[in-house]
């Protein structure tokens, strides 16, 4: 019942499909049962409340309820291990628990791996654990599909309701048929394009998708860093122009402080590790990651350009979430920027409309937290905009002038209008020096 599981469950229930969410986290289960989302995602709360009220959605930590269902989606986390390789321990535990219950179940049961797993996992680890613990065979009483999830945090509900594709990987016709039937019921005449393939190909589609998107971000950040060296050049113009070429496309061409979130870094690391273990070094993806890591250093470098030494300087970090409309700070650029600022001896005060509770769990009292953007700016020597929240976009040039000790602004998200800041020390990432 994390981001993927809960959003999947809530949307299934919203289309009249009876759904039970299972999680080992008791507190999370209790909250869901009360119709309250344990994480911030637009529209999720309402959907959850409706589902619970109509008795179409329930939650429990008692996995035995699976015996009374037809299909199980595995949506547990697949984090990184120390060396970047995928940690399958949650998958193994959940599959084993599931198999133990399915041993007693009569009739067919379909298991769907929605978690992101490296090629071969569904047909290898999952199949092995499932068959051993259930004492049943995939292709007979058990169905098994790889069905990666492509939803994005911040727009997860909309993405789950209107995906651009559904990818189903299976080894037997019945599994694929049963899952397709469920999706036909869910989407009706609006069924998105369906790609039916092998489990391994379905698994690789997910990694290819995230690796491409991450590389697109590192690509435009590289162009931004070059643009910064050229008087009269702004990366926004370059992105707009190349984005008009349909082979390139305009989305994901926004220069910024680097990608974050629970997936890109973790999935790239898993893919790199997977590939290296098969004697192929994916140099491109290592460069994508290295570029991303360096981007936070560059952001702090711009602050140094404005201020000189950052030692003992008060820096307001505006935005902590890895993007707007989420409280998720996993792998967020803000954390890399803050670590870099701390290394330089700066005093950091941070503001975020949603993500402060999560940040406190990671950074505790290493930094100060502000209740709103104005109090973050109060007495600051420099403000760094890290997340593109509307609350931050709405700030006016007077706000910076009024509250800050000295109005130095690093706009790492390029969300302010540079015309309003000509009288201040304002630098947006990817903007070359103005021609004197
Ligand atoms: N978050 C995203 O935007 C996103 C998008 C697409 C794909 N994915 C993939 O989906 C998977 C889940 O990601 P997430 O962000 O939803 O994870 P998450 O960490 O938010 O949630 C995982 C949940 O699984 C629960 N859990 C762990 N072990 C369990 C067990 N044995 N039985 C029952 N519950 C158990 C945890 O308590 C937690 O609530 C990952 O593989 C991720 O890569 C995530």
């Amino acid at each position: 019942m994390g981001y993927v599981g809960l959003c999947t469950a809530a949307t299934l229930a919203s289309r009249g499909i009876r759904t039970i969410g299972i999680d080992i986290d008791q507190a999370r289960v209790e909250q869901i049962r009360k119709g309250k989302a344990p994480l911030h995602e637009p529209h999720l709360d309402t959907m959850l409340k409706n589902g619970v009220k109509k008795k179409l959605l329930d939650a429990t930590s008692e996995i035995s309820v699976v015996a009374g269902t037809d299909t199980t989606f595995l949506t547990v986390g697949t984090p990184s291990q120390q060396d970047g390789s995928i940690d399958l321990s949650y998958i193994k535990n959940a599959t084993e628990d599931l198999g133990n219950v399915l041993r007693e179940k009569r009739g067919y049961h379909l298991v769907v791996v929605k978690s992101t797993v490296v090629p071969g996992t569904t047909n290898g680890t999952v199949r092995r654990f499932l068959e051993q613990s259930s004492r049943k065979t995939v292709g007979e009483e058990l169905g098994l599909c790889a069905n990666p999830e492509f939803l994005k945090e911040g727009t997860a509900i909309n993405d789950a309701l209107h995906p651009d594709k559904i990818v189903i990987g299976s080894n037997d016709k019945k599994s694929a048929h049963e899952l397709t039937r469920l999706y036909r019921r869910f989407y009706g005449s609006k069924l998105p394009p369906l790609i039916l393939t092998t489990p391994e190909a379905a698994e690789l589609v997910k990694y290819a998708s995230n690796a491409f998107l991450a590389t697109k971000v590192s690509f435009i950040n590289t162009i931004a860093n070059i643009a910064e060296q050229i008087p009269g050049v702004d990366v926004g113009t370059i992105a707009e122009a190349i984005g008009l070429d349909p082979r390139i496309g305009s989305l994901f061409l926004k220069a910024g402080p680097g990608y974050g979130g629970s997936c890109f870094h973790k999935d790239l690391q898993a893919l790199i590790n997977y590939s290296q273990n098969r004697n192929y070094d994916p140099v491109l993806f290592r460069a994508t990651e290295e570029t991303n890591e360096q981007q936070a250093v560059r952001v702090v470098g711009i602050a140094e350009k404005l201020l000189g030494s950052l030692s003992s300087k008060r820096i307001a970090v505006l935005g902590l979430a890895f993007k707007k409309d989420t409280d998720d700070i996993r792998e967020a650029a803000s954390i890399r920027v803050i670590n870099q600022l701390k290394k330089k001896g700066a005093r950091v005060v941070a503001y975020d409309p949603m993500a402060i509770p999560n940040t406190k769990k990671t950074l505790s009292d290493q930094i100060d937290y502000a209740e709103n953007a104005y109090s973050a700016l109060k007495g600051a020597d420099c403000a760094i905009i890290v997340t593109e929240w509307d609350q931050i976009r709405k700030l006016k040039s007077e706000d910076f002038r009024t509250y800050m000790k000295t109005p130095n602004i690093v706009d790492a998200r390029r969300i302010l209008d540079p015309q309003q800041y000509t009288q201040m020390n304002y630098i947006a990432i990817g903007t070359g020096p103005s021609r004197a």
Side-chain angles (χ1 to χ4, degrees), residues 54 234 352 435:
K54 289 184 182 156
D234 184 90
D352 191 285
R435 256 193 294 239

Side-chain angles (χ1 to χ4, degrees), residues 18-19 50-58:
R18 280 182 51 216
T19 309
N50 283 339
V52 171
K53 207 166 120 197
K54 289 184 182 156
K55 298 204 178 330
L56 285 166
L57 180 64
D58 198 359

Side-chain angles (χ1 to χ4, degrees), residues 1-5 22-25 28 75-78 90 93-94 97 114-116 149-151 153 206 262-263 266-267 330:
M1 288 293 97
Y3 279 89
V4 169
I22 303 167
D23 205 295
I24 48 173
D25 182 338
R28 186 166 276 246
T75 57
V76 296
T78 47
Y90 297 100
N93 289 340
D97 291 348
K114 243 194 188 313
S115 299
T116 303
E149 177 56 61
F150 300 94
L151 61 74
E153 286 176 27
K206 176 67 193 175
S262 63
C263 292
K266 150 180 104 67
D267 292 348
R330 288 179 288 181

Side-chain angles (χ1 to χ4, degrees), residues 2-12 39-41 44 75 114 116 147-166 183 187 206 209-210 213 252 262-264 267 322-323 326 328 330:
Y3 279 89
V4 169
L6 189 53
C7 292
T8 305
T11 46
L12 283 169
L39 45 95
H40 176 75
E41 191 59 46
L44 179 60
T75 57
K114 243 194 188 313
T116 303
N147 172 221
E149 177 56 61
F150 300 94
L151 61 74
K152 306 177 281 300
E153 286 176 27
T155 53
I157 296 296
N158 195 46
D159 294 342
L161 293 174
H162 311 283
D164 46 30
K165 68 205 160 274
I166 293 174
Y183 281 129
Y187 292 105
K206 176 67 193 175
S209 181
N210 275 354
L213 293 170
F252 259 68
S262 63
C263 292
F264 283 2
D267 292 348
F322 82 93
K323 63 176 176 183
T326 175
D328 198 346
R330 288 179 288 181

